[in-house]
Amino acid sequence: MAQLTIVANIIAKPDKVELVKTQLLKLIAVTRAEEGCINYDLHQDNQNPAHFVFYENWTSTEHLQAHLASSHIAEYIAATEGSVDQFTLNEMTQVA
């Protein structure tokens, strides 16, 4: 299987932007150290600071599933409960 690309969009509530950003930043080092993680890059929209995007690449769906089931993701979810307006996760495959 080709590598798996993930585009995760997180839109924080306007009054929770810094809280969500702080919690997202905590995920980077620990996730980059995970088996199967090729890259895990966080972006913040220049026009809408409440909009964050993770651009990720994984060697397999199994590695992504292990990441999503990890304790640091559970900790992020608990810490940001009620602070995120919208979350979408797109699993993609490069075609060209």
Side-chain angles (χ1 to χ4, degrees):
M1 176 183 185
Q3 81 181 22
L4 180 63
T5 299
I6 301 297
V7 179
N9 285 277
I10 303 103
I11 300 177
K13 291 185 176 181
D15 61 332
K16 300 293 185 180
V17 172
E18 287 306 312
L19 168 73
V20 172
K21 183 177 182 177
T22 298
Q23 294 303 316
L24 291 171
L25 288 169
K26 289 180 181 180
L27 296 173
I28 295 172
V30 66
T31 299
R32 287 179 177 167
E34 288 181 51
E35 184 178 347
C37 180
I38 298 168
N39 68 290
Y40 191 75
D41 303 321
L42 180 63
H43 304 269
Q44 187 173 20
D45 189 296
N46 293 334
Q47 302 303 314
N48 178 7
H51 184 187
F52 299 92
V53 174
F54 265 118
Y55 177 76
E56 316 168 25
N57 284 288
W58 297 87
T59 58
S60 71
T61 300
E62 293 76 23
H63 287 112
L64 170 65
Q65 292 303 319
H67 164 67
L68 294 174
S70 68
S71 61
H72 48 275
I73 291 295
E75 290 166 9
Y76 160 78
I77 291 169
T80 60
E81 184 175 354
S83 300
V84 174
D85 267 340
Q86 185 178 3
F87 173 77
T88 58
L89 187 138
N90 299 98
E91 294 186 25
M92 308 180 90
T93 301
Q94 184 174 348
V95 294

